Amino acid sequence: MDLWHLLFLGSGGFVSGIIAGILGIGGGTLLVPLIFTLGYLPIEAIATSSLAILMTAMFGSFQNWSLGHLQLKKVIYLAIPAGLTAQLGVLVANKIAPYLLLAGFGLLLLLNVTLISLRKSLAHKQHPNSAPKPTTQSSVQQTTARLTTGGTAGFIAGLFGLGGGVIMVPLQVILLGENIKAAIQTSLGVIVITAIFACGSHAMSGNVLLAEGICLGIGGLFGVQLSTRFLPKLPENMVIFLFRGFMGLLAGYMFVKAWHSRAIAFNFSKRRLCLVFNCVREVLKDGDRFIRQCDR
């Protein structure tokens, strides 16, 4: 890996950290396409982004814990199903064709637009420091809600190399009755667990690019520091507008790459089928010549 790649990855990690700080999401939505653009395989991009996300989430969760804003009990309740389904997501990612993986990631980017808009609207309706609304859910309903929230986020973390926070936060608000601020803090703690499982599984499969992942993670740490101190002062409507435009362009780019990857795979399969057909035809010709010689 040359100096240009290091600078490019560091800058990409820095920008993803800024986006994560402004919008409260993980940086995988930017990191996966960034790594893929450098010529790596989709599965390598997904695996390496999980390492960078792990570094950023650990740093942010440590800060929350030191300030007394992280409730470990809530983290554990969501982390157990998330850790299990993250393994399933990794297994599925290794079985899916590259063009399907890219297309699925593009669809997830479009889904993120809706979920982030939902989070912003919920934040307007509920003050961040207000207590959660009392819930009348039974213990069975709460357990089901936690399993759904953590399990969905974990599967997405393993499948697409994301932290899962963009799914976990709105589900906590909707299903568990958490306020926005507590949901974000808990989500970041759970992301540490899901990223450990996802990154570990990908590492055992040999998909993680260690140097690239560390470079992205270091850049993300600096980006988060900057965004949490200065950039939240930007008008919220401007942030939402920029996010929607960014996600839309990125989704379009991934769909184009998926179509290109599918075309390559189709052409390769077509050439391989033609090769097999020609081989069979030659074998049949040789057999026919052999029979004629025997008749003579």
Side-chain angles (χ1 to χ4, degrees), residues 132-286:
K133 293 181 179 180
T135 176
T136 57
Q137 289 181 334
S138 65
S139 59
V140 175
Q141 290 175 323
Q142 290 182 354
T143 301
T144 302
R146 290 191 179 100
L147 290 174
T148 302
T149 302
T152 302
F155 181 78
I156 289 175
L159 181 62
F160 294 118
L162 305 177
V166 73
I167 301 292
M168 196 180 307
V169 173
L171 287 182
Q172 284 184 83
V173 175
I174 296 170
L175 299 180
L176 300 178
E178 294 281 4
N179 63 58
I180 291 292
K181 187 174 182 180
I184 291 174
Q185 292 163 346
T186 303
S187 174
L188 194 62
V190 178
I191 285 173
V192 175
I193 308 299
T194 59
I196 288 175
F197 279 97
C199 184
S201 297
H202 280 300
M204 287 189 292
S205 300
N207 298 323
V208 177
L209 308 172
L210 185 60
E212 288 84 347
I214 293 175
C215 188
L216 286 167
I218 293 174
L221 296 181
F222 286 104
V224 166
Q225 287 292 318
L226 178 63
S227 60
T228 53
R229 293 183 182 182
F230 301 106
L231 294 182
K233 298 178 181 179
L234 290 173
E236 188 170 294
N237 290 334
M238 180 185 295
V239 174
I240 294 176
F241 175 78
L242 293 174
F243 178 82
R244 286 175 174 173
F246 176 74
M247 289 291 108
L249 291 174
L250 206 55
Y253 173 77
M254 297 308 292
F255 286 139
V256 171
K257 287 293 184 181
W259 180 262
H260 180 67
S261 178
R262 178 185 178 277
I264 293 176
F266 178 77
N267 289 334
F268 176 76
S269 299
K270 184 178 179 180
R271 289 196 301 268
R272 186 168 55 181
L273 183 62
C274 291
L275 179 63
V276 172
F277 177 77
N278 290 332
C279 290
V280 171
R281 187 174 61 179
E282 292 298 327
V283 169
L284 292 176
K285 286 182 178 180
D286 291 340

Side-chain angles (χ1 to χ4, degrees), residues 42-94:
I43 190 64
E44 291 176 334
I46 289 171
T48 304
S49 71
S50 66
L51 174 58
I53 290 170
L54 173 60
M55 295 174 61
T56 305
M58 287 182 65
F59 180 78
S61 295
F62 177 77
Q63 280 191 324
N64 287 333
W65 175 78
S66 62
L67 295 173
H69 296 158
L70 187 64
Q71 298 186 30
L72 296 179
K73 187 177 181 180
K74 292 181 179 180
V75 172
I76 293 173
Y77 283 155
L78 294 176
I80 292 175
L84 296 176
T85 54
Q87 304 283 337
L88 178 61
V90 172
L91 292 176
V92 173
N94 282 286

Side-chain angles (χ1 to χ4, degrees), residues 10 12 16 66 105 109 122 176 183 195 200 234 242 248 265 292 295:
S16 70
S66 62
F105 189 80
L109 292 176
L122 290 172
L176 300 178
L234 290 173
L242 293 174
R292 290 179 180 177
D295 291 340

